[in-house]
Every structure is written in C-alpha cells, then in structure tokens.
Amino acid sequence: MPQESPGGQTRRPASIVIVENLVKRFGNFTALSDISLNVAKGEKIVLCGPSGSGKSTLIRCINHIEKPDEGLVVIDGVELAGRMADINSVRREVGMVFQSFNLFPHLSVVENCMLAPIRVRGLSRSEAHDRAIGLLRKVRIHDQANKYPAQLSGGQQQRVAIARALCMQPKIMLFDEPTSALDPEMVKEVLETMVDLAQEGMTMVCVTHEMGFARQVADRVVFMDRGAIVEESDPDTFFRAPRTERARSFLNQII
Ligand code: ADP
Ligand code: MG
C-alpha cells in the first residue's frame, strides 16, 4: 500500500512505474479496461499483443500524453492526478521513442539532442553539446552530428531519437514499436542500441514484436489483448508455454 509522505505525495520507492486499475475510453469505446502494471527500477518489460490491443494507449497513458479516465499512474513516487506541474515534472524523467522518429527536421542531429536539455534542464550550450556528443557516440552516430535528419537513414534517425531521449537523463525509457517503420537491415542496429541500454541497467518498457529482443533482455513479457493484460510471465515461459489461447495464436502469427 502507498505510504503518505509528510508533503502529501504518495511514495512507493520499489516501483518506478505503478499503474493501477487504469481505464481509458475513446467515446463509447473502451481502449483500456482495468490495467494494473508495476515496473521495478531496472526492470525491462516487453509489451506485446495484436494490433489495436491498447499497447500504444497504455504507453501514452503512462506519461499522460493520453489522460486516463479512471485509475492511478504513479511515476517515481509522484502520482499523476491531472496537475500540470506534476505531469510536466514527470515527463522530464520519462524518455519516449516512437515508431516515427519525430526528429526536428530543421535542426541538426546534435541540435536535436541539445534542445530539451537547454530549455528544460537549464544546461548551457556547451554542457548540452558535450552531453549530446557523448550520447551520440554511445549510439555510434557522433560522426553524423552536424547532418540534418533527412540526410540520415531510418535506422540512424532512430538512434538519434534514442540519444536525444537519453540526453534528458530519464529514469525510464518507453519505446513504442521503435523498429516497425525501419527497413529490415536497419532493425538490428536499433535493437543493438536498445540491448546496450538494457545492459546498462535502464528501466525500459518496450512495445515490440521483436521476439529475439524480448528473449534477450526482457525480465517480463506482458501480453495484451482487447484492452486488457491477458498474460504476463518471464520470456522463457511466455514463448515456451503460453497459458492462454490468445497468446498462442498471437505467437503463431508473429514467429
Ligand atoms: P495498439 O498500439 O495495441 O495497436 P492502440 O493503443 O493504438 O493499439 O489502440 C487501441 C484501440 O484504441 C484501437 O481500437 C484504436 O483504434 C483505439 N484508439 C486509439 N487511439 C484512439 C483515439 N485517439 N481515438 C479513438 N480511438 C482510438
Ligand atoms: Mg501501437
């Protein structure tokens, strides 16, 4: 149960993300019904399930890009109850990488990475530049730092998007099908970057159908169908012996 701190904020240090009884509707359609999910510090979760099962909506509710209709989201001890100050402070700690890379087209690679740390974290230009180059090196793309997004391949752009998110020094990284828009030969370089990140201990929630990645890094596979979590287990159990018929038929389709 939550502990009430003297400041009134709910703190549960064991989990970085707590989702409890989350419901999200679009008009009469219930996209998420009664979702509960905890993510421990350092944990890697792979979220999978058929198209339309609510994976993106759940990821978006975690950092309140979508506002849940019911239920609770707590990020690093702060409950997102609709106060903009809380939502903004939490978003700073949550890195997001989407299927479409969403880089700013008019900014160079390094400037893409410098923008938020300067504006939101108050870094000087030179501090932001050093940090950006360091993280671009980590994703092995620092030699492209002065190019513009359109001059890069999809895989390179996605690695820049990852570096850009890391420049904010997030406590957790959320990935929503980061390799789905890529040509097959570029999927590997992006997955390798994500594996590196996982091995460094980053807390990650990844929507992906890359089951090799899931086997390699996931502590837990969470399978969704029709707006609900149907099954969750360690990857070995999930792939070897899925409990539900829905998970079995999903796996038959993608593997
Ligand atoms: P997934 O990511 O698993 O493919 P989504 O979370 O994108 O699924 O969508 C879950 C369901 O919610 C789908 O039926 C989708 O059509 C619906 N949905 C998502 N976003 C909206 C929206 N903004 N308005 C109406 N329906 C939406
Ligand atoms: Mg989606």
Side-chain angles (χ1 to χ4, degrees), residues 144-168:
Q144 313 284 329
N146 294 316
K147 289 197 177 163
Y148 285 82
Q151 297 172 290
L152 304 184
S153 73
Q156 290 174 324
Q157 289 188 55
Q158 193 59 302
R159 285 187 283 144
V160 173
I162 294 171
R164 181 177 65 173
L166 293 175
C167 281
M168 287 293 281

Side-chain angles (χ1 to χ4, degrees), residues 55-56 176-177 207:
K55 306 177 299 292
S56 295
D176 192 356
E177 303 208 33
V207 177

